[in-house]
Every structure is written in C-alpha cells, then in structure tokens.
Amino acid sequence: MSQVVASMAGSVWKIVVAVGDQVEEGQDVIILESMKMEIPIAAESSGVVKQINVQEGDFVNEGDVLLELE
C-alpha cells in the first residue's frame, strides 16, 4: 500500500480521482491551493485508489496523508 502526502500546507482545491480509480505513477490526484497558487500532487506509484482522506475545501499540513493506494 502506498500513501500520497501533502508536499506543503494548503487547501484542497480539487480531487481529481475517486475510490476505485486506477492511477499511474506521476499522475496528478489532488490539487492544493496555497498562496493563490495551484499545486498538483502526483501519485508516487501506480495503483488503485483505496481511500481518500480529505474533502475539497479541507486545510492540510505538510506531510498529511491525502489518499491511499493499493
């Protein structure tokens, strides 16, 4: 199982995958907004989205687990 974590603090602007989706390494899965900039967060490995731990609009800190892949 692999986890996708926030690379910096910010608000979850958009979640671009759903539970059960197949994702590839390097594919954007969540877009954060911080300091008026959009920061795409990519999967570091391929897999299937098992769980999404955040909702659009949530504030996250650096290192928070955003979603889990299996």
Side-chain angles (χ1 to χ4, degrees), residues 8-11 32-39:
M8 64 186 309
S11 296
L32 298 181
E33 181 182 38
S34 181
M35 299 178 290
K36 305 274 188 212
M37 294 177 13
E38 294 173 10
I39 298 100

Side-chain angles (χ1 to χ4, degrees), residues 59-70:
F59 184 82
V60 296
N61 289 302
E62 183 176 351
D64 285 356
V65 177
L66 305 177
L67 60 83
E68 297 176 7
L69 302 174
E70 61 180 356

Side-chain angles (χ1 to χ4, degrees), residues 4 18 27 30 35 52-53 61:
V4 176
Q27 177 181 339
I30 290 181
M35 299 178 290
I52 299 174
N53 299 328
N61 289 302

